Each structure stands twice: as C-alpha cells, then as structure tokens.
Amino acid sequence: MQHQTETIAIRTRYDLFSRLLHWVIAVAMIYVMIVGYSLHFMPNERIFTFFSETNMSLALVLTPLMVMRFLWRYFRPTVPYGEMLKGHGKGLVHLLHEIFYLLIFVVLVSGFLMLEKGFQVFGVIDFPRPVTNLEVNRFFFTLHRYSCIALAGMILLHVAAVIKHQCFEKNAILRRML
C-alpha cells in the first residue's frame, strides 16, 4: 500500500476580491482626504463646488465598499502572518486594524451628517441633507475634522509599518496585498 502525503497549502496572499477592495478603497480614501484638505484653499466657488461634490460622491461610493470590505473579512480565507508577527505584535496589529476600520467609518458617516445642504452625486442624482439641525451638523463637522486627522495619522502609521516590515526586516508583508 502506497502512503500518500497530503500537502496543505498555506496562503501567502489575500484573495483577489480582498486585494481589489483594499487598493480601490485606499486610493480613493487618500484622494478624498487630499482633496478634502485642499478645499480650504479653493477660493473659486465653482471649483470648490465641483471638488466638494466629487468628494462627497466618491465618499458615497466608498461607504458601501467599506461595509463590503468589513463584512468580507469574516468570510475570506485567512492569511497567516507566519514568522513576521508573533504574540503581542499580532494582537497589536489586529487592534490597530479595528481602529483603522472604525476611523474610516467615522470619517465617512460624519462627512454626510455634517452637510448643511444637499449635493448632486456625480452631477446626476440629488442627495438631500441627511440632518437639518445646524447644531448637529456642526458637531459632526468637528467630529469629521478630528477623525480625518486621526485617519491621516493611521494611514501614515500603516505605511510606515509596511516599510518597516518590507524594507528593514525583509519580510514580504507587502506581497500579501499585491
């Protein structure tokens, strides 16, 4: 009788859907944040309105994509860290990812709840102002501003961690998402 060995393939990359969601959301979020900060320096009303409404339109698309990404992580196959992360480091990475997701959701939701007027989604569909109380709008504007700052910090931390692992520790961590 011949003895057969079964090889269990260990995943080293996320599935294509996870990778696509990651990069589409990452690029769009970075663009939206850069434009959002830049709006403060746009004195021309038409240019401001164009970029502001484009930003809000992209955020409207990003919101269900983020919900999809959040839910998909419970169904996708896991990709172990292997020797790259162990013990407390692994727990810290998981905690930081949870905070990352939370900040993205706070930024997106507060961005809509701060609106003092409706807008046109990509210039086609009217999107009404969700909250009509000016004090509530101002609260969410403040929340939006501070959560954007925190999210920018988290993005920088995320990129720095990837650079640390990839370049200095020579771990192929970036390959997981490429």
Side-chain angles (χ1 to χ4, degrees):
M1 213 170 170
Q2 208 174 25
H3 180 69
Q4 295 179 353
T5 57
E6 186 177 308
T7 305
I8 299 173
I10 297 175
R11 291 186 172 276
T12 57
R13 295 172 71 193
Y14 285 99
D15 58 283
L16 179 62
F17 185 62
S18 295
R19 294 190 320 260
L20 283 172
L21 279 176
H22 175 272
W23 290 108
V24 166
I25 290 169
V27 168
M29 283 299 298
I30 291 168
Y31 171 82
V32 165
M33 289 182 72
I34 290 170
V35 170
Y37 286 118
S38 300
L39 288 172
H40 298 287
F41 306 104
M42 294 182 187
N44 183 301
E45 180 82 23
R46 288 183 59 212
I47 293 172
F48 176 90
T49 300
F50 171 79
F51 280 107
S52 178
E53 289 192 355
T54 301
N55 240 30
M56 291 182 281
S57 298
L58 284 171
L60 198 57
V61 171
L62 277 173
T63 303
L65 287 178
M66 268 308 296
V67 170
M68 217 182 313
R69 181 162 187 221
F70 180 78
L71 294 174
W72 178 243
R73 70 193 192 138
Y74 294 106
F75 298 100
R76 72 173 183 234
T78 59
V79 181
Y81 285 105
E83 297 298 313
M84 287 184 242
L85 284 173
K86 294 180 183 174
H88 296 303
K90 191 175 175 180
L92 180 62
V93 166
H94 286 293
L95 174 63
L96 290 173
H97 274 99
E98 296 300 317
I99 293 169
F100 211 160
Y101 279 103
L102 177 64
L103 280 172
I104 292 170
F105 282 119
V106 169
V107 164
L108 291 169
V109 171
S110 65
F112 292 112
L113 297 178
M114 74 179 207
L115 295 177
E116 293 182 11
K117 64 180 184 173
F119 69 97
Q120 283 203 318
V121 180
F122 296 113
V124 178
I125 302 166
D126 287 329
F127 186 88
R129 174 183 176 189
V131 176
T132 57
N133 183 315
L134 194 56
E135 285 183 43
V136 173
N137 297 132
R138 288 183 181 149
F139 165 78
F140 281 110
F141 175 79
T142 302
L143 179 62
H144 185 71
R145 175 175 277 174
Y146 288 116
S147 60
C148 282
I149 293 168
L151 181 57
M154 187 61 84
I155 290 169
L156 290 174
L157 181 65
H158 185 66
V159 170
V162 169
I163 291 169
K164 173 189 169 264
H165 283 284
Q166 190 72 33
C167 299
F168 297 107
E169 294 180 2
K170 303 298 181 199
N171 292 326
I173 199 144
L174 191 56
R175 183 184 184 324
R176 296 162 55 90
M177 223 14 115
L178 293 177

